[in-house]
Amino acid sequence: MTKDENKGGIKRMVNPNRFGIERIAYLLMRLTGLGLLGYFIAHVYETSNILRGRMGWDDFLEMTQTNEVHIFLVVVIGMCVFHTGNGIRLMIAQMGYGIGKAERPDYPYKPQSINMKGKACIYATLGMAALAMWYGMAVMFA
């Protein structure tokens, strides 16, 4: 690593061309996991409002029926679909399917798990998440 490779700051750190789609999928998997955990906690809190009775439940539901909350739910749909699809891709790769024949790891090492099949699965997962978000928008804003 040269001295100039350390320059660039955050712009260089998040550059998708530096790491490729695999790193983006890795980061999205972590971010969607945290986002879904936050949504789960908020959903449990929302559902617990039924203990306040019919009036409390209706008041809370009225507060959540806004465009901002609908957009948040569309993002949650996308996070859920991506996290699920990428998790399935990782489980299939962990079982050894689509990885290819094992080779001796000579320098320069090229991992077999990051091949065109894996990249195509990542792009397909991103596409499915985008379609799910589009469908969610169509349902909630129709």
Side-chain angles (χ1 to χ4, degrees), residues 114-131:
I114 305 172
N115 56 22
M116 286 309 293
K117 292 177 188 174
K119 290 179 183 180
C121 288
I122 294 171
Y123 288 122
T125 302
L126 287 169
M128 287 189 308
L131 283 173

Side-chain angles (χ1 to χ4, degrees), residues 2-120:
T2 66
K3 183 178 178 182
D4 290 336
E5 288 180 13
N6 291 327
K7 294 182 180 178
I10 292 176
K11 185 177 180 182
R12 179 168 164 79
M13 182 181 78
V14 297
N15 183 3
N17 297 326
R18 182 173 179 213
F19 298 109
I21 191 69
E22 299 85 16
R23 178 59 66 105
I24 293 171
Y26 172 83
L27 291 173
L28 283 176
M29 190 72 167
R30 273 35 183 196
L31 290 174
T32 57
L34 290 172
L36 290 172
L37 176 65
Y39 173 74
F40 175 72
I41 292 168
H43 184 69
V44 168
Y45 173 74
E46 173 199 15
T47 306
S48 70
N49 277 308
I50 200 163
L51 297 174
R52 294 180 21 208
R54 179 80 175 174
M55 292 293 283
W57 176 254
D58 289 341
D59 289 343
F60 194 81
L61 282 184
E62 183 180 323
M63 185 178 70
T64 61
Q65 298 302 316
T66 63
N67 286 341
E68 292 83 13
V69 174
H70 288 319
I71 290 171
F72 171 73
L73 290 176
V74 167
V75 171
V76 168
I77 290 169
M79 288 191 308
C80 186
V81 171
F82 176 79
H83 196 82
T84 303
N86 198 43
I88 291 169
R89 177 189 70 85
L90 291 172
M91 286 189 290
I92 290 171
Q94 186 71 25
M95 289 186 283
Y97 298 110
I99 292 178
K101 186 178 177 184
E103 296 178 358
R104 180 182 164 136
D106 292 329
Y107 184 82
Y109 180 66
K110 293 191 87 173
Q112 290 294 317
S113 61
I114 305 172
N115 56 22
M116 286 309 293
K117 292 177 188 174
K119 290 179 183 180

